Amino acid sequence: MCKKARTMKPRILLVNPPIVDFTAYDFWLKPYGMLTIAGTLRGQVDFTLFDYLDRLHPTLADYPKIQSDHWGRGHFPHERIIKPVPLANIPRHFYRYGRPRDEFQNTLKALPSMEMVWIQTTMTYWYPGIAEVIEDVREALGSIPIVLGGPYATLCSDHARHLGADLVINGLNCQPLWDRLGLEPDEDQPALWELYDRLDVGVQKITQGCPFACTYCSVHQVYGGFQSRSLQRARAEYDLLAQCGVRQVAFYDDALLFHSHEILEPLLAHARSVGTPLSLHSPNALNARFVTYDLARTLVASGFKTFYLGFESAAEDWQQATGAKVTCSDLQQAVEALIAAGAQYKDITAYQILGHPQADTQALEASMHVVADLGIRGMLADFSPIPGTPDGEACRQWVVTWTNRSITTRRPFPF
C-alpha cells in the first residue's frame, strides 16, 4: 500500500497527564512508552511535549519543595482536592500532582494547528488525570483525534474508550496508529528525549516482557513474552541520554537480568568504553535469582548505584502459589554478591508486597525480619488487584460474591 505524499510534517501533541492519588513521588517517572513510540517517527513528525510531571520545567522554578535527592528523585508540585465518593471514608488527604491545569490550558490556546494528541497512561486508578486532559483538549481543540496508550489503556480499554479517546492502543500493537498517520516507524530510533528543555533523569528499557508469570502481575498482558530489544538502539539511547545532560538512568525492564549476555552486558561494556559514566538504577526490581558474583561485579563497575530486588515474601508456600520467582536463599546470595562487588547495604532494597489477599500465608512480618537480618532496606509495595491477572480476577469474584450475598462481616478471600 502506497503512503500519501505530504507537503509538510504532521504536528502531534504529546501529554503526560497529572496524577490523582493519596500520594505520589517522582521515583524516576518518565513517559517512556510515549517517548519511545514518538522516537520511531523522529524526523517525520513535529512533536510538542507537555509533561505535567516534569519537576524541572522552567515554570516550576519558584515552586516550593521542588528539590531532588542525590539520585534525582523528589516531590511533585501538588494541591489538595476533594476525595472521590468511593474513597470518602479513607482518613487521608487526596491530591492532584503535577503542573497547574491552567498552564496546560494556556499552552493549548497558543499551539499551532495540531493533527493529533497522544496521552500516556500508567496506573489504572490514575485515570482521572487522563479525563482532565481529554476535557481540556476537547474544549480547546474540538474533535482532534486523541490517542491513548500504555498499561491503563491496555488493561481497562473499554473504560478508557468511555473517557472520550478516538483510538486506544492495546499493548504493543501500534499498527492502527501507523495506519491513521500513513507513516512507517523506524524501530531502531531511541526515545525522543530531546523534547525536554532540561533533563537530569532518563530511562532505558532494553527488553520487553518477562519469562515468569506471577499471579499478581500484568506484564504478560501489556508486553507479552520476554524478548531482548535491539542492542544498536540501546547503545544509541544511552549516548543520547548522555548528550541531553542526563546523569541518572532508571531501567524500566521487568526482567533486566534475564539472558543478560544478549544485551545488558554488551550495553554496559559500551557504557564503560565511551567515558560518560551515568548513575544507573533498577526501580522495577532485579530478579535476585540471576545476581551472580560475576554479574554483580559488572553492574557495580558499570555505574549501578541502587539495587532494587523483587523479594515479595519469605513464605515458601506463598512463593510457590504466586509464581515461584524468588526464594530466601536467592535473596541472600544476591545480597552477598552485590556487597562483595562493592555495593553498599543502604543502596540495596528488597520489595515486599503489602495487602495481598493471601496475607496470612504470606507471613509479611517474618519476611520483613529476613530482609532486616540481611542488613538491607525493605520497601513495602501495596498490592493492587489488576484486571485480567489471576489475583485480580479472584478479588473481583470475591467482591461479586460479597455483594450478592449481602455479607456484612469480613470474610477471607476464597483462595
Side-chain angles (χ1 to χ4, degrees), residues 167-282:
L167 178 61
V168 176
I169 300 297
N170 195 314
L172 302 177
N173 180 23
C174 292
Q175 191 57 50
L177 180 59
W178 308 145
D179 291 342
R180 276 183 177 243
L181 289 170
L183 299 173
E184 292 288 350
D186 180 356
E187 302 292 345
D188 284 331
Q189 288 289 325
L192 211 62
W193 292 110
E194 59 266 34
L195 291 179
Y196 284 92
D197 295 315
R198 177 184 170 192
L199 196 64
D200 288 354
V201 170
V203 170
Q204 283 210 258
K205 189 172 184 181
I206 61 176
T207 64
Q208 293 280 30
C210 181
F212 294 90
C214 297
T215 57
Y216 46 80
C217 182
S218 62
V219 167
H220 277 269
Q221 294 166 262
V222 179
Y223 301 110
F226 177 85
Q227 60 178 334
S228 295
R229 303 173 84 175
S230 161
L231 177 58
Q232 174 185 341
R233 181 190 178 281
R235 288 170 173 162
E237 184 156 72
Y238 182 94
D239 293 343
L240 175 59
L241 289 170
Q243 292 166 14
C244 289
V246 164
R247 288 297 173 261
Q248 315 292 334
V249 175
F251 283 89
Y252 275 11
D253 301 71
D254 297 290
L256 181 64
L257 304 186
F258 188 67
H259 290 177
S260 63
H261 61 281
E262 291 183 358
I263 182 167
L264 176 61
E265 293 179 54
L267 173 62
L268 295 181
H270 171 75
R272 295 192 300 273
S273 71
V274 295
T276 53
L278 307 180
S279 296
L280 310 180
H281 310 276
S282 58

Side-chain angles (χ1 to χ4, degrees), residues 16-32:
N16 190 30
I19 295 171
V20 177
D21 206 338
F22 290 102
T23 186
Y25 188 75
D26 187 2
F27 201 63
W28 302 300
L29 293 180
K30 294 295 179 189
Y32 185 66

Side-chain angles (χ1 to χ4, degrees), residues 142-168:
S143 60
I144 186 172
I146 296 176
V147 181
L148 300 185
Y152 162 71
T154 300
L155 298 170
C156 302
S157 54
D158 288 341
H159 189 278
R161 291 186 186 95
H162 281 96
L163 294 184
D166 299 282
L167 178 61
V168 176

Side-chain angles (χ1 to χ4, degrees), residues 313-329:
S313 173
E316 185 175 349
D317 289 347
W318 189 91
Q319 291 169 352
Q320 294 298 320
T322 58
K325 182 177 67 174
V326 175
T327 66
C328 294
S329 59

